[in-house]
Amino acid sequence: MNSPSEQAPRQAQRQTQRRARRQAQPQPDEQPDPGLTAIMSERRQLLNPAYRLLGSLADAEDVVQETYTRWYAMSRAEQQAIESPGAWLTKVAGRICLNLLGSARVRRETYVGEWIPEPLPDPVEWIAGAAGGAGVDPADRITLDESVTMAFLVVFESMTPAERVSFVLHDVFRYPFAEVAEIVGRSPAACRQLASSARRRVAAARAEAVPDAARQTSVVRRFKAAWEAQDIEALLGLLDPGATAISDGGGRAIAHLRPIEGAEQIARLYLTIARYAPPRTILERTVNGLPGLVVESEGRIETVFAFKVADNDRITHIWAVRNPDKLRPWRLP
């Protein structure tokens, strides 16, 4: 999501946040913070909505880090004066997300090619660790449900920042509109209208019937087999005539800068990739809670594919994420 010129200051910011967290930890001669466990237990509750709001695991983790940095920037007396630390953390994280959503629209005007939300692996299939190979990666703390499928994250992208915050916090995470209003900076009635507008977009996406998980798995598996066999007729039989394929390289990996429309164009593109790409292995993996594929080449995951399958067992959308900045959770050991 970020260009190379943006990465250096972001890395410096993360180092500052890590120092702040270390400084916040009690020293041996200090009294331990009795509320520390309760505060840190909110981490998952912050990370889940932040990922849905931003479509980026890296940005969501930054939001959580910044939220805790602000908490520990307060004195112990100021912290103890807060009646509900969890509500305070949610409010701060929500406001940071709202600000980032506004700036993200500006950043994406200069993004190279199409922008796709960052894909997530299934925790059961998780084989790598966090950055540096230690600890637990944030990816396994994201609850995989309907609201994180690639199709829904793309719908979220069509919403205004205020609509997105109002809908995700209220409809997905059941925060009352009174609390949402404090984050969005509008009245509860206005937030209710924003969520209603977002709900109509989501309802339109839900109106398209989809097959059950077993049938989706079968379709994706057959697509993989047809692709590996370079069988154009089989590919055409699995693709909806009006299918769309979008790839995201972010200027860091080769990718088509515009969507590819139509089954024949997509099939021919994938045949070209199969014929001329370096040796690689295509693996079946769960991507954002649904059947997907990942491509491994020379010991690294280079592409993650998410699919939308219609009720007629035809693929209507393919999302291929190739930007290495978005594939951090998919590193091989």
Side-chain angles (χ1 to χ4, degrees):
M1 181 173 175
N2 305 303
S3 65
S5 62
E6 291 177 301
Q7 292 170 12
R10 286 181 67 97
Q11 290 171 352
Q13 180 188 33
R14 290 172 187 169
Q15 290 173 352
T16 300
Q17 291 169 343
R18 284 194 291 270
R19 284 197 298 270
R21 290 199 305 276
R22 285 196 298 269
Q23 293 167 358
Q25 300 303 313
Q27 300 304 311
D29 58 344
E30 292 180 344
Q31 291 297 318
D33 179 0
L36 179 61
T37 301
I39 288 296
M40 295 311 294
S41 69
E42 295 288 335
R43 190 173 187 83
R44 185 182 185 118
Q45 302 304 318
L46 300 175
L47 191 63
N48 269 277
Y51 171 72
R52 288 161 174 80
L53 288 171
L54 302 174
S56 166
L57 180 61
D59 285 350
E61 182 69 4
D62 284 349
V63 166
V64 175
Q65 291 175 352
E66 174 62 21
T67 300
Y68 278 109
T69 296
R70 295 187 186 185
W71 171 266
Y72 282 110
M74 297 188 295
S75 67
R76 181 69 62 84
E78 289 173 322
Q79 293 171 0
Q80 292 174 340
I82 295 174
E83 183 176 349
S84 174
W88 186 93
L89 292 168
T90 298
K91 185 187 302 183
V92 170
R95 286 175 175 170
I96 296 172
C97 286
L98 188 62
N99 291 336
L100 284 176
L101 284 171
S103 62
R105 293 197 165 198
V106 176
R107 291 203 309 273
R108 287 173 200 167
E109 290 177 1
T110 59
Y111 191 81
V112 179
E114 296 291 316
W115 189 93
I116 298 175
E118 187 176 330
L120 289 178
D122 189 293
V124 176
E125 298 171 352
W126 177 248
I127 54 176
V136 179
D137 194 275
D140 78 349
R141 297 198 296 272
I142 301 294
T143 303
L144 298 177
D145 58 22
E146 181 189 43
S147 65
V148 297
T149 63
M150 194 63 72
F152 269 77
L153 291 178
V154 170
V155 172
F156 290 163
E157 285 297 309
S158 69
M159 302 176 185
T160 67
E163 283 178 335
R164 193 164 177 171
V165 172
S166 298
F167 175 83
V168 169
L169 291 185
H170 179 267
D171 283 45
V172 179
F173 292 96
R174 303 303 177 189
Y175 287 98
F177 280 120
E179 293 182 18
V180 176
E182 293 184 23
I183 294 170
V184 178
R186 305 193 189 186
S187 68
C191 290
R192 188 175 288 105
Q193 295 231 338
L194 288 167
S196 177
S197 174
R199 204 174 294 124
R200 286 193 292 272
R201 298 175 192 257
V202 171
R206 282 183 174 146
E208 302 173 18
V210 297
D212 60 32
R215 284 170 57 195
Q216 291 187 56
T217 298
S218 175
V219 170
V220 172
R221 183 170 294 153
R222 284 184 282 146
F223 179 89
K224 171 181 178 290
W227 188 15
E228 290 176 321
Q230 300 182 32
D231 186 341
I232 190 168
E233 293 303 322
L235 286 174
L236 289 172
L238 290 166
L239 291 165
D240 185 85
T244 301
I246 300 175
S247 57
D248 177 347
R252 309 260 341 266
I254 296 173
H256 283 269
L257 299 181
R258 295 289 180 268
I260 307 299
E261 306 281 355
E264 185 170 348
Q265 289 83 351
I266 294 171
R268 294 193 181 282
L269 166 65
Y270 277 69
L271 284 184
T272 300
I273 294 172
R275 287 169 183 159
Y276 299 107
R280 70 213 196 291
T281 302
I282 304 174
L283 306 169
E284 293 182 38
R285 290 290 183 268
T286 301
V287 180
N288 287 64
L290 291 176
L293 300 173
V294 303
V295 174
E296 175 192 344
S297 178
E298 297 181 348
R300 67 183 180 87
I301 300 299
E302 66 170 25
T303 312
V304 173
F305 291 92
F307 299 86
K308 184 175 182 180
V309 181
D311 196 41
N312 61 358
D313 289 351
R314 296 286 189 98
I315 296 170
T316 61
H317 291 80
I318 302 174
W319 295 279
V321 180
R322 307 201 72 240
N323 184 342
D325 292 340
K326 296 184 177 183
L327 299 181
R328 176 173 62 91
W330 298 85
R331 282 197 308 271
L332 293 170

